[in-house]
Amino acid sequence: MAAESAVKVCVRVRPVVAREERAASENAESVQLFWKTDKKSVRQIDDGNSSKCFNFDRVFTAEESTSQLYQDIAKPLVVSTVEGYNGTIFAYGQTSSGKTFTMMGCDSNPGVIPLAVDDVFQTIKNFPNKEFLLRVSYMEIYNETVTDLLVDSWKRKPLEVRETINKTIYVADLTEELVTSSTQALAWIRKGEKNRHYGKTKMNQRSSRSHTIFRMILESRERGDPASGENADGAIIVSHLNLVDLAGSERASQTGAEGARFKEGCNINLSLFTLGQVIKKLTDESQKGFTNYRDSKLTRILQNSLGGNAKTVIISTITPVSLDETLSTLQFASTAKKMKNDPHVTEVSDDGALLKRYRNEIVDLKRRLHEVSSVTQTTVTEKEVLSQLLQEKDQLRREQEDRIRNLTKLLVTSSNLVHVPKMPKRRVTWGGKLVEHSHPSACDDGICGMNMTFGWKRKADRSCSTDLSEADEDFYSHWGIPEEPSDEMEMSQSSVTVRSFGDSPRDLVSPGQIVGFSEKISNLDLQLEIESQQREEAVNVEILDGQVAELQRQVQTEALQKQEAVKEKQATEVRLAEVEVLLKNEVKDKLEALEKMQTMEQRLAGLEMQLQSETQQKLDALLQVQAAEQNIAELKRILDTKAQQKLETTDMLELKVSELERQSEKQKNTESDQVG
């Protein structure tokens, strides 16, 4: 894990440019090179002898292309980013050393950023069992102010750098665009480059006046089974790829910067100095404790990449004809080589990641669509069943009406009786002779009674289809009795004759009685047929009533079921509304908690700034106290010295006084001796 955790540092040597050749030719000298390189080290040339040497993971000469640099040092990091690790690549060096060319490149020689973007999408193809969601953002740090390069200039505003409860650093209100191809990502980069600050200096015609960070956020998860429609339950992996193009450190005496350019240079140098101090603090084992990333917006945003959960690649660009600036860059790179990170895959198991939220939303929408489709399908099915039942009811009603109509047609009434026209009478003969001539005395009773009786029997057999008074005429005219008698007719005649001329007078029946009997029998037959038809109709009506009642019960049952389904649907809608209200309340609570947390973060930041200010004031006061103590000690020493000097002076004066006194006494003694 140590080799994987170490920050990789490489050096790229820029070729000599025309400006440096012109400067050497003006002095009538050849271009002097202060550094020489091999595959993994850079050495200083000092009068032909190597005095200083720096070792790195890889050193790229001026002849090697950006593509070679990317394949050797940057591509493994990009591939690991797709696998779930955080990664950062940034170029560091003095102004006009080739940082922007290395990171952005040109059409014929693409830089690290476009190569990395293409490689991300190419690497995704190697993971067919995963699905990815990619977002990009592009920010600029200009004069210690963070701005969004993906919005128009009139919408651009200063952005705040904040920290989540999980210690994740983010830029508030930064635009993040969803991309599905490298073409879309590169289009956003081109838009951002149009909004970036560039300027002209004596050392570079197009000098970067700000730091830029192009960030790709990759969210991935295991793909679900499309055949079964099930979604994978695995955690979502979130990784960040930061591609940083730093502005170069510069000296105002060399760049000729004035006014705005001078201010830009001061802010660039300050942020790079803070970056160097943070890296020095992280690599110096003797300096343990708090590392203040907040001193610069650059170090604050890249906090996770500096000693945190990320793999970092630093590309140091140098100029072989520069001594001091290149030495400073190599010292920075050598210090950064000692920095250690702790990269690991970040898994998100809550709803914080967009991919999971989109996935959950899609699943929820599919579920709601399925419920609506089920209710709609049930309603359609109920309508179809009801329509079919109504059609069957109408069909049964029509069949019963047709059946009643047909039965009614079978009834013979005055309204439906069809008159049969009389056929002209033909001569009625019996045995080839006229009956009235054969039996003139029996025309009124015997023969006529026989004819009426025979006619009634034939008429009764035909169900009384005609009037009784016309029975004989209709019967004979219809059937056409033959002129020659048959054996059957003779038997009938004998039987009738026996019946007509019996021995008892009671056997004799008058024609009026026969007609009355015939009418009564016809009426009885009609009543019998009517009653049988009524019974059949009653049975049919009962059957129809039963079927209609059954259909009504079915319709009522289906209506109740439909009402229950509607009630269930309404209850489901009410539950959905309650769930939506609960979700809204939860979202509102989360937003309130987030606002409180942001407020607390702001207060914490204010307290930290206040603490830093107080600490600085205490340090200043301590320094002042120390200075005062030193001044007091110095004054005391001076006073002591002066006191000593005064003592010495006093002693000398006393000696002089005593000497003078002695001389005076001596003189007095001498004078007294002279006087004596």
Side-chain angles (χ1 to χ4, degrees):
M1 192 66 181
E4 192 175 88
S5 301
V7 176
K8 292 186 177 181
V9 179
C10 69
V11 174
R12 187 179 193 187
V13 181
R14 190 207 69 186
V16 179
V17 296
R19 171 177 54 81
E20 296 166 342
E21 293 178 348
R22 286 197 302 270
S25 61
E26 289 176 359
N27 296 328
E29 298 177 356
S30 60
V31 178
Q32 183 180 2
L33 301 179
F34 295 95
W35 304 92
K36 68 177 182 177
T37 63
D38 56 23
K39 197 171 185 64
K40 288 193 174 183
S41 64
V42 180
R43 293 179 175 84
Q44 180 183 357
I45 302 174
D46 186 10
D47 296 332
N49 299 320
S50 298
S51 59
K52 293 182 180 180
C53 180
F54 299 92
N55 295 318
F56 303 100
D57 294 292
R58 183 75 161 82
V59 176
F60 297 92
T61 62
E63 289 76 20
E64 293 180 283
S65 64
T66 306
S67 178
Q68 290 176 302
L69 182 148
Y70 173 78
Q71 292 294 330
D72 291 348
I73 199 76
K75 183 173 182 177
L77 182 143
V78 175
V79 173
S80 66
T81 303
V82 180
E83 295 173 351
Y85 293 93
N86 294 327
T88 299
I89 303 174
F90 67 86
Y92 179 93
Q94 72 173 92
T95 185
S96 186
S97 61
K99 298 179 303 300
T100 302
F101 178 80
T102 300
M103 296 302 294
M104 299 303 300
C106 59
D107 294 336
S108 59
N109 188 10
V112 172
I113 293 179
L115 290 174
V117 170
D118 287 335
D119 221 15
V120 165
F121 289 93
Q122 291 296 326
T123 307
I124 288 175
K125 296 179 181 179
N126 299 328
F127 296 89
N129 296 326
K130 284 189 176 183
E131 53 188 4
F132 292 81
L133 180 69
L134 282 79
R135 293 171 286 154
V136 298
S137 62
Y138 202 8
M139 70 187 83
E140 177 186 52
I141 304 174
Y142 176 72
N143 286 341
E144 283 301 300
T145 301
V146 182
T147 56
D148 192 348
L149 292 177
L150 298 186
V151 299
D152 297 331
S153 57
W154 60 275
K155 294 182 180 179
R156 203 169 301 141
K157 63 179 181 179
L159 303 179
E160 295 293 331
V161 182
R162 295 178 181 175
E163 183 177 1
T164 65
I165 194 171
N166 297 323
K167 303 298 181 181
T168 301
I169 308 301
Y170 72 99
V171 178
D173 300 328
L174 181 65
T175 303
E176 292 181 349
E177 299 290 345
L178 290 172
V179 293
T180 57
S181 65
S182 59
T183 304
Q184 293 179 357
L186 294 175
W188 288 114
I189 291 175
R190 283 192 293 272
K191 180 178 180 179
E193 282 296 303
K194 292 179 181 178
N195 297 327
R196 184 180 179 182
H197 286 85
Y198 287 98
K200 181 180 179 181
T201 65
K202 290 182 178 180
M203 297 187 66
N204 197 347
Q205 293 293 324
R206 194 169 185 265
S207 176
S208 301
R209 312 310 296 169
S210 62
H211 311 302
T212 60
I213 302 174
F214 179 76
R215 174 174 292 175
M216 296 186 71
I217 303 174
L218 296 87
E219 299 182 11
S220 62
R221 64 172 292 170
E222 294 296 329
R223 187 189 300 271
D225 187 4
S228 61
E230 296 181 354
N231 295 325
D233 296 329
I236 295 175
I237 298 175
V238 181
S239 60
H240 296 74
L241 175 60
N242 299 314
L243 303 173
V244 187
D245 181 17
L246 299 177
S249 59
E250 60 185 40
R251 292 182 179 179
S253 59
Q254 294 179 347
T255 60
E258 296 178 352
R261 293 288 176 267
F262 180 76
K263 181 180 178 182
E264 293 168 354
C266 291
N267 286 296
I268 291 170
N269 292 335
L270 179 60
S271 63
L272 293 177
F273 173 77
T274 305
L275 176 63
Q277 291 298 108
V278 168
I279 291 177
K280 184 177 180 181
K281 181 71 177 293
L282 292 172
T283 56
D284 191 355
E285 297 181 356
S286 62
Q287 296 183 9
K288 299 295 182 181
F290 178 72
T291 302
N292 195 358
Y293 294 95
R294 299 176 182 269
D295 288 348
S296 171
K297 297 291 180 65
L298 177 64
T299 54
R300 182 63 169 159
I301 295 174
L302 296 180
Q303 180 175 344
N304 197 37
S305 303
L306 303 173
N309 175 24
K311 296 182 179 181
T312 305
V313 170
I314 300 176
I315 303 173
S316 299
T317 56
I318 61 173
T319 304
V321 298
S322 176
L323 179 60
D324 296 334
E325 290 78 5
T326 299
L327 178 60
S328 176
T329 301
L330 293 174
Q331 289 174 344
F332 170 86
S334 181
T335 303
K337 182 72 176 64
K338 303 174 184 177
M339 187 172 60
K340 303 292 183 181
N341 286 357
D342 183 22
H344 56 270
V345 176
T346 304
E347 292 185 354
V348 179
S349 57
D350 56 3
D351 288 339
L354 280 179
L355 180 61
K356 188 164 187 177
R357 290 201 297 270
Y358 292 164
R359 192 72 177 187
N360 292 338
E361 185 177 356
I362 291 171
V363 171
D364 184 63
L365 290 175
K366 285 184 178 179
R367 179 182 58 79
R368 293 186 180 182
L369 180 61
H370 179 69
E371 291 178 356
V372 174
S373 301
S374 300
V375 174
T376 306
Q377 186 176 2
T378 303
T379 306
V380 173
T381 305
E382 291 176 354
K383 289 182 179 179
E384 291 177 355
V385 172
L386 291 174
S387 177
Q388 185 176 0
L389 291 173
L390 291 174
Q391 290 178 1
E392 291 178 358
K393 180 180 177 182
D394 293 337
Q395 182 67 22
L396 289 173
R397 182 178 57 79
R398 286 194 296 269
E399 290 178 359
Q400 295 300 331
E401 288 178 354
D402 293 337
R403 188 173 180 182
I404 293 171
R405 192 181 299 109
N406 292 331
L407 292 173
T408 305
K409 288 181 180 179
L410 296 177
L411 298 176
V412 180
T413 62
S414 60
S415 62
N416 62 5
L417 180 64
V418 180
H419 177 71
V420 180
K422 289 185 176 182
M423 298 296 293
K425 293 183 178 180
R426 58 178 297 177
R427 186 178 60 178
V428 180
T429 62
W430 192 264
K433 297 180 181 180
L434 290 173
V435 176
E436 54 187 347
H437 290 167
S438 302
H439 308 281
S441 60
C443 185
D444 294 331
D445 49 2
I447 299 300
C448 290
M450 182 270 294
N451 289 337
M452 290 298 293
T453 303
F454 184 78
W456 169 79
K457 289 181 180 179
R458 300 290 293 180
K459 179 181 176 184
D461 293 338
R462 297 175 61 194
S463 302
C464 303
S465 61
T466 57
D467 190 74
L468 186 60
S469 63
E470 299 175 353
D472 293 341
E473 297 176 359
D474 293 340
F475 175 79
Y476 291 121
S477 63
H478 180 72
W479 289 98
I481 299 174
E483 295 181 357
E484 298 295 333
S486 62
D487 297 337
E488 184 179 359
M489 185 64 70
E490 288 178 355
M491 292 175 65
S492 299
Q493 184 179 1
S494 2
S495 62
V496 172
T497 302
V498 172
R499 180 113 179 230
S500 299
F501 299 97
D503 295 334
S504 177
R506 294 177 181 178
D507 297 330
L508 298 176
V509 182
S510 64
Q513 291 176 343
I514 293 172
V515 171
F517 291 153
S518 299
E519 290 178 353
K520 290 180 180 179
I521 292 170
S522 298
N523 292 332
L524 292 173
D525 290 338
L526 288 172
Q527 291 177 2
L528 181 62
E529 290 181 359
I530 291 171
E531 289 177 357
S532 62
Q533 291 176 0
Q534 289 177 353
R535 284 195 296 271
E536 291 179 358
E537 290 176 0
V539 173
N540 293 332
V541 169
E542 290 178 357
I543 294 173
L544 287 174
D545 291 340
Q547 293 178 350
V548 170
E550 183 66 24
L551 289 173
Q552 288 178 351
R553 284 194 298 272
Q554 292 179 0
V555 170
Q556 291 176 357
T557 303
E558 292 168 356
L560 291 174
Q561 293 176 353
K562 183 178 180 181
Q563 291 178 358
E564 291 177 356
V566 171
K567 290 180 180 178
E568 291 179 357
K569 180 182 177 182
Q570 292 176 351
T572 303
E573 291 177 352
V574 171
R575 288 197 298 270
L576 288 175
E578 292 176 353
V579 171
E580 289 179 355
V581 171
L582 290 175
L583 290 175
K584 289 180 180 179
N585 292 333
E586 290 180 0
V587 171
K588 185 178 179 180
D589 294 339
K590 289 183 178 179
L591 290 175
E592 291 177 355
L594 182 61
E595 290 178 357
K596 291 181 180 178
M597 183 174 63
Q598 292 176 353
T599 303
M600 294 297 294
E601 289 177 355
Q602 292 177 356
R603 292 179 60 187
L604 180 61
L607 290 174
E608 288 181 354
M609 293 179 64
Q610 185 177 357
L611 180 62
Q612 292 176 1
S613 178
E614 292 177 356
T615 304
Q616 186 65 35
Q617 291 176 0
K618 289 181 179 179
L619 290 174
D620 294 341
L622 182 61
L623 292 175
Q624 291 177 0
V625 169
Q626 292 176 353
E629 289 178 350
Q630 291 177 359
N631 292 332
I632 292 171
E634 183 66 23
L635 290 173
K636 186 177 180 181
R637 185 181 60 79
I638 293 171
L639 290 175
D640 291 341
T641 303
K642 289 183 177 180
Q644 185 67 27
Q645 290 177 355
K646 287 181 179 180
L647 289 174
E648 292 177 354
T649 304
T650 303
D651 292 339
M652 290 177 66
L653 289 174
E654 289 178 350
L655 290 173
K656 287 182 179 180
V657 169
S658 60
E659 182 68 23
L660 290 173
E661 288 177 351
R662 192 172 55 254
Q663 290 178 1
S664 177
E665 290 177 355
K666 186 178 181 180
Q667 186 176 0
K668 287 180 179 180
N669 292 330
T670 304
E671 289 178 354
S672 63
D673 291 337
Q674 290 176 359
V675 171

